[in-house]
Amino acid sequence: MFTQLAQNVVSSRHSSIDQKLCRWLLERLDRSLGSELKATQENIANLLGVRRESITASAAKLQAEGAIQCRRGVIEVLDRSILEGNAGACYFAPRLAMQE
């Protein structure tokens, strides 16, 4: 958990908003029982420290790629592999450290 926290701090300074959103979605999906996440774009923006409009634009890109489907207050993950491809190495680093 400490490794993940440290990695998140470093990543937040050097990642794009698209990467931050993908990583956030994947981390929540890892803790979820299903593929639907209850969250508004405003809440996500506040948690990531970015503007809501930036999250809306990033989510629209992911939706166009077929990775997610957004509805009011719900984000459904349709293709996890697309999110993993867009998340960058920072999503995988803590998992690799735990395997060692």
Side-chain angles (χ1 to χ4, degrees), residues 31-96:
R31 293 172 178 86
S32 175
L33 298 175
S35 62
E36 287 191 353
L37 305 171
K38 294 185 192 267
T40 64
Q41 292 175 359
E42 175 122 14
N43 289 344
I44 296 169
N46 289 335
L47 290 167
L48 296 180
V50 298
R51 295 175 38 234
R52 183 196 49 78
E53 294 83 1
S54 300
I55 295 298
T56 300
S58 184
K61 285 186 218 173
L62 291 172
Q63 195 162 324
E65 291 178 28
I68 62 173
Q69 176 66 44
C70 296
R71 297 186 308 273
R72 188 172 192 95
V74 177
I75 299 173
E76 181 179 5
V77 177
L78 303 175
D79 191 337
R80 182 186 177 100
S81 63
I82 294 173
L83 294 178
E84 289 174 349
N86 290 333
C90 292
Y91 171 69
F92 296 101
R95 283 142 193 81
L96 295 174

